[in-house]
Amino acid sequence: MTWFRWRPEERATAPLSRAEFATLQPIERAELHRAAQDSRRQFVTTLLQIPATIAVLGGLLLTAQGLAQTAKSVEASREELLIARKGLEVAQKGQVTDRFTKAVEQLGSASMEVRIGAAYALENIGRDVPDYRQTTVDVLASYVVGNGRTSTKKNYGQARDVRAMLTVLGRVRPAHPKQEWIDLSHARLGDADLSDAYLPRARMYGVFLAGAELFGANLSDSIMPFSDFSSAYLTKTGQLRGVAETPPRQVGSGR
């Protein structure tokens, strides 16, 4: 066995010859023997720790691979969720389109009740889906213009379906405020009830509104030249543009 002596001045170890070892005191020999045993134990311990260290590194590598796989799975799930969401949006748009198409078709029904139901169905669609609101207003306004009537003593006021559509038009609000979003030009709305109706910025050229109820209606900035307001109630209707062009005999503020 080779023995080593620690030499502080050299900061290194050097092997001892047998002659030098024989000159050492018993205590020094015991210390050298103990140091040699400690060195061997430390070496053996280090050798035993190597597999454990390799196992830990392998575990870390497997963990990293697992995390990478999990990240890929999360990304794949996110993409699937986006695809599913887009599919749901497409399905919802398709359902709205079907609802809208069916409601418009029902406006041509021979049944009064079906036409009234279609008017309120269109109102619900316009409220639930802002993108359909303007189209809903245009459809209902077109029906009112085409089916309104001039009241007579024999045929007073408007038909129930037209009244329902006027009610809807009077309470719907634009998704994005803009000018002239409702066009009722040339509509025949004699004795119609438009109390508290919301109709600002409306285009109402040549509208027949004789005897109409307009209490509290919001007609501010509406363009209404050549319209007939004879005997109509116009209390608190807001500023009307173009009314000055109407012949004075056609404008009234009460019966």
Side-chain angles (χ1 to χ4, degrees):
M1 179 181 293
T2 301
W3 301 95
F4 294 86
R5 173 183 290 175
W6 175 257
R7 295 179 180 178
E9 67 278 3
E10 296 180 5
R11 297 294 179 184
T13 58
L16 296 177
S17 65
R18 288 183 177 274
E20 289 176 331
F21 184 76
T23 62
L24 295 177
Q25 297 293 325
I27 295 176
E28 291 178 335
R29 293 178 183 177
E31 289 178 354
L32 287 174
H33 184 70
R34 185 168 54 252
Q37 288 181 334
D38 292 341
S39 178
R40 285 196 300 270
R41 282 195 295 267
Q42 186 176 4
F43 179 73
V44 172
T45 301
T46 301
L47 289 178
L48 294 175
Q49 288 177 344
I50 290 175
T53 303
I54 294 175
V56 171
L57 292 176
L60 291 175
L61 179 60
L62 291 176
T63 301
Q65 291 177 344
L67 291 175
Q69 187 64 33
T70 301
K72 291 181 180 179
S73 299
V74 170
E75 186 64 25
S77 299
R78 184 178 300 173
E79 291 179 358
E80 291 177 357
L81 181 59
L82 290 175
I83 293 173
R85 183 177 298 174
K86 290 181 180 178
L88 179 60
E89 291 176 354
V90 171
Q92 289 176 339
K93 288 182 179 179
Q95 291 176 354
V96 172
T97 301
D98 291 342
R99 288 170 55 196
F100 183 82
T101 302
K102 183 177 180 180
V104 172
E105 290 175 351
Q106 289 176 339
L107 290 179
S109 173
S111 170
M112 176 70 72
E113 286 70 21
V114 172
R115 296 197 299 273
I116 293 174
Y120 292 115
L122 287 171
E123 179 185 20
N124 291 333
I125 294 171
R127 182 181 61 247
D128 297 340
V129 188
D131 290 343
Y132 274 80
R133 195 166 301 171
Q134 183 63 56
T135 306
T136 296
V137 168
D138 293 341
V139 169
L140 293 178
S142 177
Y143 187 96
V144 168
V145 171
N147 295 275
R149 65 193 183 196
T150 303
S151 63
T152 63
K153 291 183 179 180
K154 182 178 179 180
N155 192 16
Y156 180 79
Q158 298 297 313
R160 287 188 296 127
D161 56 346
V162 174
R163 290 204 303 268
M165 293 176 197
L166 288 173
T167 298
V168 172
L169 290 174
R171 64 191 181 196
V172 72
R173 298 292 188 272
H176 305 288
K178 61 180 182 179
Q179 293 294 324
E180 304 176 0
W181 77 299
I182 293 180
D183 190 348
L184 291 171
S185 296
H186 308 295
R188 296 167 296 167
L189 303 177
D191 293 311
D193 186 358
L194 292 171
S195 299
D196 299 316
Y198 182 83
L199 296 171
R201 302 181 302 278
R203 291 174 58 87
M204 301 179 73
Y205 288 92
V207 178
F208 184 85
L209 284 165
E213 302 280 352
L214 294 166
F215 286 113
N218 186 345
L219 297 172
S220 57
D221 294 321
S222 292
I223 304 175
M224 312 177 79
F226 310 110
S227 295
D228 189 340
F229 287 92
S230 57
S231 301
Y233 289 93
L234 297 172
T235 306
K236 298 180 180 179
T237 55
Q239 182 180 1
L240 310 180
R241 289 190 288 155
V243 174
E245 300 178 34
T246 307
R249 64 182 178 83
Q250 293 182 341
V251 180
S253 58
R255 290 191 172 95

